[in-house]
Amino acid sequence: MSTRYALTLSCPNRPGIVAAIADALFRRGFDIQAAHQFDDPASGRFFMRTVFVAAREEADFPALTEELEGLRARFGMKLALRDQSVPRKVMILASKFDHCLVDLLYRHRIGELPMAVTAVVSNHPRESYGGLDLNGTPFHHLPVTRETKMEQEAALWALVQSTGTELVVLARYMQVLSDALSAKLSGRCINIHHSFLPGFKGAKPYHQAYARGVKLIGATAHYVTADLDEGPIIEQDVERVTHEATPEEMIRRGRDIERRVLSRAVAWHLDDRVIMDSKRTIVFAQ
Amino acid sequence: MSTRYALTLSCPNRPGIVAAIADALFRRGFDIQAAHQFDDPASGRFFMRTVFVAAREEADFPALTEELEGLRARFGMKLALRDQSVPRKVMILASKFDHCLVDLLYRHRIGELPMAVTAVVSNHPRESYGGLDLNGTPFHHLPVTRETKMEQEAALWALVQSTGTELVVLARYMQVLSDALSAKLSGRCINIHHSFLPGFKGAKPYHQAYARGVKLIGATAHYVTADLDEGPIIEQDVERVTHEATPEEMIRRGRDIERRVLSRAVAWHLDDRVIMDSKRTIVFAQ
Amino acid sequence: MSTRYALTLSCPNRPGIVAAIADALFRRGFDIQAAHQFDDPASGRFFMRTVFVAAREEADFPALTEELEGLRARFGMKLALRDQSVPRKVMILASKFDHCLVDLLYRHRIGELPMAVTAVVSNHPRESYGGLDLNGTPFHHLPVTRETKMEQEAALWALVQSTGTELVVLARYMQVLSDALSAKLSGRCINIHHSFLPGFKGAKPYHQAYARGVKLIGATAHYVTADLDEGPIIEQDVERVTHEATPEEMIRRGRDIERRVLSRAVAWHLDDRVIMDSKRTIVFAQ
Amino acid sequence: MSTRYALTLSCPNRPGIVAAIADALFRRGFDIQAAHQFDDPASGRFFMRTVFVAAREEADFPALTEELEGLRARFGMKLALRDQSVPRKVMILASKFDHCLVDLLYRHRIGELPMAVTAVVSNHPRESYGGLDLNGTPFHHLPVTRETKMEQEAALWALVQSTGTELVVLARYMQVLSDALSAKLSGRCINIHHSFLPGFKGAKPYHQAYARGVKLIGATAHYVTADLDEGPIIEQDVERVTHEATPEEMIRRGRDIERRVLSRAVAWHLDDRVIMDSKRTIVFAQ
């Protein structure tokens, strides 16, 4: 089977972009397998995701990349080209609650998430996760206190760099990243917040939801930016609750919502289906 | 067919309430057709809805009401007893957008909402509603400006009183009621807000939702209190949107969500299924 | 504002299709505003929807259509090109229950459904629809009995032809169309079935759903084919029910599901977002 | 903390049942913490779930049980009284796909499912489940062929009996139980079927769903009866799919639906919230 490439791009919309890309792929011997595009009428920007394979013997990848570089310059594109057969390197951060961590590792194990897990990092020790088979993945215990926060973030960043981590997943990691680290990870760090944002930012969202008497609770996966709980949203989902649901019951139901919302966001990111656009995201979901 | 009564009550929870009510109904010749109850572990309050009919010839309603009065005093109950065969008197307020108004009137026409519409009131003239068959329901045009607001609210309140209106429905009525009027209508005025509260309070919620890039939009029906958009929530619902949805498209989808959320809230209120409890509601939905 | 065209096509997938279309649009002076495509890995077929406007003065529509004709022949395309500023001619058929009819007409009135209603046809007389403002749309009463069915279908077909009707909507029309008429209307007749197909085909689906004890009820909008309740599905939706829901309550809830499912299917059809593909549909929904 | 008891019952509806039960609980010193009831207008049967604790020192459980026995006889009740502090004994059966098994064990580990797992049984060997920590739970490999089916079912039944198993969960167990065994386990065996029943019974439901072109896929948890895929439904849920979803993608999404539907059904059964009523279930869900 041929290598599969994913091309994602955005640029100011003007006539001829699709024709130029399609023509380049065709002439260089590649065959489009899936394509999504979006012309944003509000911003005037154009977004595109194309997945393609070498269709014929004469497929010439170096020539294609050179040609795409020309188009990038000509149209002012932000452009990413990726060989999808190489799994992305992903680091998972967790705290006390491990339902998202366990879920991501399980999905990875059965082949649902094409990634290479570089490390699991927690501010709790390895013993906290009884019953969790890491299957050889390195585990790092980086306990955080007010005093050690800077230092531990430095250790975390060193780990990201040394492992070549391309995506950091905050799987109910309960430490707030500093602005500096958030900025460094911009566009490659996904957090799960346990509320339907923008409702119930901050701490104890299920208790807030209970107090407000909402009839649906939710969770939100978003890219991390310096602005806490304000990053571009990738996915959200909700479940219905009644007056019978205590905060504890909401927390229980929330676990289900959180893990499916986070896993969808991660899966779409890994499949090059998400493009950040300022405070919003374009998600070419299946 | 027998008259159907709905009994709703709330009181501090203590042993013997259910036994006392059930026993009174039984001894006085009434048969329970539906019953819901809720013991709130957080507040220690007990809530109950019972629908019953005269089961036997010896059914004695005056004796029952007297007995219930005794229980009310003994248990410190807030208690409401209603003959469900008498439709509630409902006034509907609307503004420019008539989708909720049209929907409520249609549901009424086909027998879905057991109510008597006392009046339709709008700050826009009757001619704004082409194609709307009021079927004899009085229409009142009460245009509101900053100068006339007090005066028109007085006219509205006079209308509520003169018609014996028991429930006021704000069916996308775009004027904010004063604190004084809100207080007078407390527990008997339902508003539909076009966002998933507590997200996007205030004006232009769909534009706010678009700007924030949420992946689900929603609507909220709540009782009106002096605290705008903070009243006890009766019902909420959402629909999924993608990056392709413009604010205009969200408004279009929102109409569907708004009318079904509002109609459910009104239907449950009319069927005595909602009990206000401070900032929350108990909804014994079907 | 420029005229907006919608081009929809399907053909066996092979390299160069997108490039050829995009290039033709670009060279002839048209600008793509929205584009969706789908490569079906199972059938090897390619599907595309493109919406475009004349972008520059030199935009040449006759030249474009000629060029598209050439591509049609070359790639073996089924191809439809439509001026979206001309509303489609739509006939609505209804029976006793008018919730879908009323809903479609209301959406049309507020500008949500860009269509020209050629006629409302019913096997019940005009008087059955109290409170329905047809706003000048012709109403035809075509009562159907076993004896008159053939004859009335002939009248219906004559009406479709004389009015130039392009889409027939069966808005809870309770008469089964003959195979002959179904075949004639293939791909341009949408039915709403009051169950989540393929469950509960045939009569009284809510009673079937009740008997089976399902926990969700639904509705299905599909293109009509000779094979009853087996036509290609355009849209489906569901709502949760509990053991408390009687068949009558399911019917009541079903009305909400039916009208939103049917209106979505009609809206997508009118916006050239649906492509039939044998027993399935490609729906480029917003 | 007091022991919590759950009383569930059903009987022909007649006046005085609630009064009698409430009165008995009150007089014997017990306090109701949660109560749900349902008068089925179709069957004329009455269903009730009451959770109660010893409220006062004089609470007399033997006297209560004796009194309830009297009521059982008097009203013709099916009645079950259970001490909820004793976790139910549950056996889980799985086959090749372990997502439901893994999910149930995880929920058990974090305290979400109050049960004692007596055994995990599979027709695949222990080695098939890499990464699965059974935490001491016995694993039994009972491979099934046409020849050994009878014999292995006998072994399974012996295991159920020797372990005192009260609930058998078929967590994507791909062997069809014989009518004889199904009958023995009636009302205490829950299966997850990977379709939205009654659609797509039998094998390969996701491939059937794909072929039919449905727009929502689902899963169904039901009690096992001799009639395959026709048992009383406890819970169902769905997710939206588009034309882009291949059967493989549906299988992937289905795993999420299956595990949440099954876990809800099991949780409700363990909390005495489900009452079987012929082909339907009463579910007093939270």
Side-chain angles (χ1 to χ4, degrees), chain C residues 211-283:
Chain C
R212 184 61 188 89
V214 291
K215 300 301 184 186
L216 296 164
I217 55 168
T220 305
H222 62 90
Y223 285 117
V224 170
T225 58
D227 203 352
L228 188 66
D229 296 342
E230 290 287 347
I233 294 168
I234 304 169
E235 171 65 343
Q236 303 186 288
D237 208 347
V238 293
E239 285 193 16
R240 194 160 277 274
V241 290
T242 73
H243 56 265
E244 292 197 32
T246 58
E248 290 67 38
E249 170 69 10
M250 289 185 180
I251 288 168
R252 196 191 64 67
R253 299 251 194 114
R255 284 197 293 265
D256 268 30
I257 314 175
E258 292 158 28
R259 65 182 194 174
R260 73 172 179 264
V261 166
L262 180 59
S263 69
R264 281 182 201 150
V266 170
W268 292 335
H269 181 97
L270 294 178
D271 201 20
D272 306 287
R273 291 176 178 273
V274 192
I275 305 177
M276 262 182 70
D277 176 42
S278 174
K279 299 189 70 168
R280 308 171 75 239
T281 62
I282 314 304
V283 181

Side-chain angles (χ1 to χ4, degrees), chain A residues 36 98-99 103 106-107 109-110 112 130-131 133 239 244 249 252-253 255-256 259 264 286, chain D residues 36 98-99 103 106-107 109-110 112 130-131 133 239 244 249 252-253 255-256 259 264 286:
Chain A
H36 295 88
D98 65 359
H99 53 283
D103 185 56
Y106 177 73
R107 290 178 194 268
R109 176 156 75 78
I110 65 170
E112 209 178 272
D133 181 357
E239 285 193 16
E244 292 197 33
E249 170 69 10
R252 197 191 63 67
R253 298 249 197 116
R255 283 196 292 265
D256 268 30
R259 65 183 195 175
R264 281 182 201 149
Q286 194 166 24
Chain D
H36 295 90
D98 65 0
H99 53 284
D103 185 57
Y106 176 74
R107 290 178 195 268
R109 177 158 74 79
I110 64 171
E112 209 177 272
D133 181 358
E239 286 194 17
E244 292 197 32
E249 170 68 10
R252 195 190 64 68
R253 300 250 196 115
R255 282 196 293 264
D256 268 29
R259 65 183 193 172
R264 281 182 201 150
Q286 194 166 25

